[in-house]
């Protein structure tokens, strides 16, 4: 694993087999996976004892599931050098996913953990997954959802610094294009939405060297940010451009 790797855990909601679900995963792995040294996927399924009607845990089971997770991660990392990549909760089942290069006695190591939780039924399994299909095609959300997650990260930081989300303020956005023509086409589409050009320039991005820095005054509640950012993001996707994020200042008075 590169020294540039930094675990980046987050979660999002979706549906699995028509049931509401929450998926948590390490997003930074997408920059480095698949790891050739860990071609085997291990899953452990733990069945909730008292799920809510929607299939999610309630009461003390939140804490117990956290304890099971910590114990599985410690056990499989210690004995198999396994890498914990994600978890799901849906339809009364919590699933944990790992990748490893060593599968020796993996079933015993799982059983050694679960013996401390005799009130919980569980299943487990192993599959060859050299391309990390489980991670990329099942756990990893689509690009739009990844952008929503990135938005929430920025919003959490703003909130931690006392930001007043109801107050509109200057927000900067950056987009990168393959051609100058695409950049001007994009600007024509958003210029009617109240954006202001801060800078047109050439960047060091070989694939998309033409950059556009625009701004607008907006609020920082999640609905407002998602509306503006996803509009810019989806317009960029439509012409093979790269929406590269947003920045703003904290407004706390």
């Amino acid at each position: 694993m590169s020294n540039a790797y930094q675990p980046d855990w987050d979660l999002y909601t979706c549906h699995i087999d028509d049931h509401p679900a929450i998926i948590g995963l390490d997003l930074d792995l997408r920059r480095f996976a698949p790891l050739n040294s860990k071609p085997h996927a291990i899953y452990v399924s733990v069945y909730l004892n008292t799920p809510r009607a929607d299939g999610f845990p309630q009461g003390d089971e939140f804490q117990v599931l956290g304890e099971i997770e910590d114990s599985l991660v410690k056990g499989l990392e210690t004995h198999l050098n396994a890498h914990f990549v994600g978890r799901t909760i849906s339809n009364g089942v919590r699933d944990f996913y790992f990748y490893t290069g060593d599968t020796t006695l993996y079933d015993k190591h799982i059983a050694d953990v679960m013996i401390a939780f005799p009130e919980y039924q569980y299943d487990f399994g192993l599959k060859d997954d050299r391309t990390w299909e489980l991670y990329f095609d099942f756990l990893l959300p689509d690009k739009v959802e990844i952008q929503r997650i990135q938005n929430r990260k920025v919003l959490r930081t703003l909130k931690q610094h006392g930001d007043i989300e109801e107050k509109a303020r200057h927000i900067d956005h950056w987009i990168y294009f393959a051609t100058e023509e695409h950049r001007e086409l994009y600007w024509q589409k958003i210029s009617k939405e109240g954006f202001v050009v801060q800078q047109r320039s050439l960047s060091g991005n070989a694939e998309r060297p033409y950059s556009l820095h625009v701004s607008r005054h907006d609020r920082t509640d999640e609905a407002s940010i998602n509306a503006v950012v996803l509009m810019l993001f989806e317009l960029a996707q439509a012409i093979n451009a790269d929406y590269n994020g947003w920045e703003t200042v904290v407004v706390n008075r």
Side-chain angles (χ1 to χ4, degrees):
M1 184 76 76
S2 167
N3 290 334
Y5 166 69
Q6 295 290 333
D8 181 21
W9 282 84
D10 217 309
L11 53 84
Y12 66 100
T13 59
C14 60
H15 281 76
I16 298 176
D17 295 331
D18 295 326
H19 297 286
I22 299 174
I23 295 181
L25 77 161
D26 183 350
L27 287 165
D28 198 45
L29 280 173
R30 73 187 191 275
R31 297 196 295 142
F32 308 99
L35 301 181
N36 294 330
S37 62
K38 300 183 188 297
H40 308 293
I42 295 173
Y43 73 86
V44 183
S45 300
V46 177
Y47 297 91
L48 275 61
N49 289 325
T50 58
R52 302 184 326 202
D54 59 7
F56 293 135
Q58 60 183 336
D60 293 341
E61 281 205 304
F62 279 105
Q63 179 177 341
V64 177
L65 290 171
E67 294 170 0
I68 292 174
E69 176 179 318
D70 291 344
S71 298
L72 284 170
V73 171
K74 181 179 180 180
L76 296 184
E77 283 184 349
T78 299
H79 296 289
L80 302 178
N81 194 28
H83 197 107
F84 182 43
V85 300
R87 68 176 85 83
T88 64
I89 183 74
S90 182
N91 197 27
V93 183
R94 170 70 102 181
D95 292 303
F96 305 96
Y97 300 96
F98 301 82
Y99 278 91
T100 184
D102 180 7
T103 61
T104 305
L105 298 176
Y106 84 97
D107 51 344
K108 177 183 181 299
H109 299 312
I110 294 170
D112 287 345
V113 169
M114 294 306 299
I115 198 170
F117 305 93
E119 68 275 24
Y120 281 90
Q121 296 183 338
Y122 68 96
D123 288 325
F124 58 86
L126 173 71
K127 64 174 287 189
D128 289 334
D129 188 8
R130 296 181 181 276
T131 61
W132 281 42
E133 179 181 350
L134 172 67
Y135 177 81
F136 284 109
D137 294 348
F138 178 59
L139 293 174
L140 191 67
D142 62 24
K143 292 180 179 179
V144 171
E145 190 60 46
I146 289 176
Q147 185 59 57
R148 290 180 186 273
I149 291 171
Q150 298 303 329
N151 291 346
R152 289 199 297 271
K153 289 180 184 294
V154 179
L155 294 178
R156 285 198 294 267
T157 299
L158 290 173
K159 187 174 182 179
Q160 289 169 1
H161 289 82
D163 187 64
I164 302 173
E165 63 181 21
E166 295 84 3
K167 290 193 174 184
R169 83 293 304 276
H170 178 99
I171 299 179
D172 293 294
H173 306 268
W174 286 265
I175 310 95
Y176 294 87
F177 305 86
T179 69
E180 191 171 5
E181 290 76 15
H182 282 166
R183 182 172 64 184
E184 294 312 307
L185 175 63
Y186 187 89
W187 170 243
Q188 289 174 16
K189 291 183 177 181
I190 70 168
S191 60
K192 301 174 184 178
E193 303 296 330
F195 290 95
V196 174
V197 173
Q198 297 295 323
Q199 187 177 25
R200 291 179 174 89
S201 62
L202 288 173
S203 72
N205 186 321
E207 293 184 1
R208 299 179 180 87
Y210 297 92
S211 68
L212 180 65
H213 172 192
V214 299
S215 67
R216 195 176 78 172
H217 274 65
D218 283 293
R219 295 165 35 152
T220 56
D221 60 279
E222 187 169 357
S224 297
I225 283 296
N226 280 338
V228 62
V229 168
L230 294 181
M231 181 268 289
L232 295 172
F233 176 87
E234 290 172 353
L235 282 175
Q237 291 287 299
I239 58 173
N240 193 33
D242 178 27
Y243 176 81
N244 201 41
W246 58 278
E247 291 182 0
T248 191
V249 295
V250 173
V251 176
N252 53 18
R253 58 182 176 181

